[in-house]
Amino acid sequence: MKKYRQQRALFGYFILAYLVIVVVFSFFRYQSESQRLDGIIRDRLQNGAAMVKYVMPRGYFDRAVSRESIHQADYNSYTDLLSQAAWENNFHFLFALREKEGRFYYIAYSLSRKEQSDKRYAAYWKEYTEVQPDLIRAHKTRKAAFTKLTDSYGTYYTVFQPEYSPSGEFFITGADYDFQNMKASLNRIFAGAALQALTLLLLLFLIYFTLTRLQKHYVRRLQFSNAVNEASPIGVMSLQPDGRIDYVNQVFAGLVGVKLENLDDRSIHDDLGFNKDDELVNRIRICLLRQISWQGEFLNANPAGREYWVNANINYILPVQEGKAMINVYAADVTPQMRSRISLSQHNTALRFISRAIHILLANHELDNTLPEVMALYG
């Protein structure tokens, strides 16, 4: 009996020591995964902040300089566009702020589905009253600031991203993202691992192996979700710094005239059937080489020789903390809009010439003197 008690006590000490080891191991494992998750969250938030600049109309942030600069009806339509982008990419809130005389005002603002359904649009140039210290820091240092905010809607990770318009106007874009469910999932996974480890050592090894595989699966899915949305109406591509394509959608493949299966998990530097003069592909390669971002419109041609206008946004995202850089590309065929713009410019030019000719004819009633001048004006 005494020997049995000693064996039972020894077994109890072994279980206690084993439990301490498992708890310590689980704690450090949790800390490691939390740090990785924080890096992914930051990449996701920066992608959302960049999306605000891309979704709003061209030249919008050069115009949004005062309370009177944007009509409320136009602002409401822009709000619908930004809200749709937030819903499709699972962001809680997308916004842009501008500082004036020490106060911050909303110049872009997304709504929830219920707010949009009820037409509860925010007034343009609405003041941001609950100014966060991180917002002030981002405004002063011109560097992105990350924080965690709690309000009546819940707890969210937020970024305040300094930006400049093409003419040099300074503003702040931002995004809110809810990662509490992912945090809770990680807590449950590691708590389950610690409890299961109390029974058999072999079972613990199996659980650890399963959790490692799940962790890799979650990280890969989150990396993909930083830049892509399957239902996106625009071309989307996500690449690694070495040019390896992580994700590309059908719209992008259609733009460059290459089959989707020829692009997936390949390198942008390979000969994948692109037109050798494809400006979009060449600009992506340049941004990869120089580690820079680029945005603009240009005339492009696919392998079949069809010319079309492209509006492209190439974002080279450097992580603030540990992790790899990411390159996110958004591209859209804007040929109809560009043709309309060119046609409108030509009509305006013709109207200016006609107006000037009429002015000359009305100012001088001698046709012999004015007709040569009018003909010279028309060329």
Side-chain angles (χ1 to χ4, degrees):
M1 182 66 67
K2 182 177 181 181
K3 183 177 180 180
Y4 174 74
R5 292 197 193 99
Q6 291 176 345
Q7 290 178 345
R8 188 171 58 180
L10 182 62
F11 181 75
Y13 293 144
F14 172 78
I15 291 296
L16 181 60
Y18 180 64
L19 177 61
V20 171
I21 292 174
V22 168
V23 170
V24 172
F25 173 79
S26 299
F27 173 77
F28 283 105
R29 182 72 177 174
Y30 175 79
Q31 292 297 320
S32 174
E33 295 305 312
S34 295
Q35 290 177 1
R36 292 195 56 151
L37 184 60
D38 287 341
I40 294 172
I41 291 172
R42 293 190 174 215
D43 288 345
R44 176 71 173 169
L45 290 174
Q46 284 190 313
N47 184 61
M51 186 183 300
V52 177
K53 189 176 180 181
Y54 178 78
V55 170
M56 301 305 284
R58 184 179 179 87
Y60 175 80
F61 293 102
D62 288 323
R63 295 187 291 121
V65 295
S66 66
R67 190 183 302 274
E68 296 78 21
S69 60
I70 303 294
H71 192 273
Q72 183 64 41
D74 294 335
Y75 182 66
N76 291 349
S77 66
Y78 302 153
T79 299
D80 289 337
L81 292 175
L82 192 61
S83 300
Q84 187 68 30
W87 304 338
E88 292 178 353
N89 292 274
N90 299 319
F91 285 102
H92 169 67
F93 188 43
L94 297 177
F95 59 93
L97 299 166
R98 183 160 190 137
E99 185 271 342
K100 191 169 185 180
E101 297 179 353
R103 296 186 177 184
F104 290 89
Y105 301 90
Y106 284 107
I107 57 175
Y109 190 105
S110 70
L111 301 175
S112 67
R113 293 183 184 272
K114 179 170 177 46
E115 289 172 333
Q116 198 275 341
S117 176
D118 296 340
K119 304 297 182 183
R120 286 188 285 163
Y121 293 100
Y124 171 66
W125 207 257
K126 174 185 175 182
E127 184 175 357
Y128 180 66
T129 55
E130 299 180 4
V131 178
Q132 305 294 324
D134 297 276
L135 171 58
I136 297 176
R137 177 163 56 87
H139 184 267
K140 288 182 179 180
T141 63
R142 299 300 198 262
K143 294 181 180 179
F146 298 88
T147 186
K148 187 166 69 172
L149 301 178
T150 300
D151 56 20
S152 57
Y153 294 98
T155 300
Y156 304 94
Y157 292 92
T158 301
V159 64
F160 298 107
Q161 177 72 43
E163 297 282 359
Y164 287 93
S165 70
S167 66
E169 296 290 339
F170 177 73
F171 58 99
I172 300 271
T173 59
D176 291 354
Y177 201 83
D178 185 359
F179 259 74
Q180 291 302 313
N181 291 334
M182 180 58 72
K183 285 281 192 180
S185 297
L186 287 175
N187 288 337
R188 287 193 296 270
I189 289 172
F190 285 102
L195 293 175
Q196 292 292 335
L198 294 175
T199 56
L200 293 173
L201 182 60
L202 179 59
L203 184 59
L204 176 64
F205 289 154
L206 292 176
I207 292 175
Y208 172 71
F209 176 77
T210 303
L211 291 177
T212 302
R213 293 293 299 272
L214 286 174
Q215 179 262 330
K216 292 180 179 179
H217 176 68
Y218 283 140
V219 170
R220 186 169 180 82
R221 289 191 61 186
L222 287 172
Q223 287 174 337
F224 284 166
S225 67
N226 286 344
V228 301
N229 188 294
E230 291 294 342
S232 174
I234 62 177
V236 180
M237 176 182 278
S238 177
L239 307 99
Q240 295 293 330
D242 60 359
R244 180 68 57 179
I245 300 172
D246 276 338
Y247 175 86
V248 60
N249 68 358
Q250 184 63 54
V251 178
F252 189 94
L255 278 178
V256 296
V258 178
K259 292 183 179 180
L260 184 63
E261 55 268 23
N262 292 347
L263 298 177
D264 190 25
D265 202 29
R266 299 288 298 280
S267 174
I268 194 72
H269 301 299
D270 295 341
D271 183 9
L272 304 177
F274 300 123
N275 185 330
K276 66 178 181 178
D277 297 322
D278 193 306
E279 188 69 15
L280 176 58
V281 175
N282 291 336
R283 289 185 184 274
I284 294 173
R285 290 169 175 168
I286 291 173
C287 290
L288 283 168
L289 179 63
R290 299 182 180 177
Q291 299 184 1
I292 60 174
S293 299
W294 185 89
Q295 179 183 4
E297 295 175 341
F298 50 87
L299 187 63
N300 205 20
N302 64 14
R306 183 182 76 86
E307 291 188 340
Y308 58 98
W309 283 91
V310 176
N311 184 306
N313 191 325
I314 305 171
N315 295 322
Y316 192 96
I317 302 175
L318 289 172
V320 178
Q321 290 186 344
E322 179 183 359
K324 289 185 178 180
M326 290 188 64
I327 299 86
N328 300 327
V329 183
Y330 304 91
D333 187 340
V334 293
T335 303
Q337 296 91 322
M338 185 59 68
R339 287 176 177 171
S340 299
R341 193 184 308 170
I342 294 174
S343 177
L344 179 61
S345 176
Q346 292 172 343
H347 281 86
N348 289 339
T349 302
L351 288 173
R352 286 197 299 271
F353 282 136
I354 292 173
S355 176
R356 187 174 176 186
I358 292 174
H359 178 75
I360 293 173
L361 291 172
L362 292 176
N364 193 333
H365 300 288
E366 296 182 7
L367 187 60
D368 293 340
N369 296 331
T370 58
L371 188 57
E373 183 178 354
V374 172
M375 294 303 293
L377 179 65
Y378 278 95

